[in-house]
Amino acid sequence: MARNDYDPASAPPDGRPAAKAPLFDATATPWRGSLNGEALGSPVTVLAYGNDTPGEGPRLHVHPYDETFVVTAGNARFFVGDAVIDASAGEVVFGPKGVPHRFVNLGPGRLQTIDIHHSPRWIQTDLD
């Protein structure tokens, strides 16, 4: 189905060039890396996170901007404020700005995520 969500004339190009930069070493597993959006002239920062150990994950932390998590492999349990959300490959979890969050690998096997920080720079305060 064709989409026609907006008039292209209402949002003309702003002159920024297309760009690329590495996010992670694709020969290493699990994938881990980060790319600040400012390196590409982008308003978002992207992280690749992975681990092979059930129960393991990032520590509790908070950001001054929203974060979107894309589970690309495995199963995770997200703790976002008071919410506990289980997510599997193909699902997306949203973490609002200012709300402490963390997640763990539920297993079995590898957990792999792509984490989109709605900021041109990765800004974080660890809480534990």
Side-chain angles (χ1 to χ4, degrees), residues 2-3 14 27 32 41 56 63 69 73 75-76 79 87 93 98-99 109 113:
R3 294 186 61 152
D14 62 9
T27 65
R32 287 198 181 183
E56 182 179 302
H63 309 284
F69 306 91
N75 302 289
F79 302 88
V93 174
V99 177
T113 66

Side-chain angles (χ1 to χ4, degrees), residues 19-85:
K20 82 171 194 173
L23 174 59
F24 56 83
D25 176 358
T27 65
T29 54
W31 296 338
R32 287 198 181 183
S34 64
L35 178 62
N36 281 337
E38 59 196 7
L40 297 174
S42 170
V44 299
T45 291
V46 181
L47 278 66
Y49 175 84
N51 80 57
D52 292 319
T53 307
E56 182 179 302
R59 62 190 336 156
L60 184 68
H61 61 277
V62 67
H63 309 284
Y65 49 76
D66 296 337
E67 184 172 8
T68 302
F69 306 91
V70 181
V71 181
T72 61
N75 302 289
R77 176 162 291 149
F78 289 83
F79 302 88
V80 183
D82 293 332
V84 178
I85 302 168

Side-chain angles (χ1 to χ4, degrees), residues 62-67 96-99 101 117-119 121-125:
V62 67
H63 309 284
Y65 49 76
D66 296 337
E67 184 172 8
K97 70 179 181 179
V99 177
H101 58 274
H117 291 234
H118 298 238
S119 167
R121 288 189 314 113
W122 182 4
I123 304 167
Q124 175 172 309
T125 297

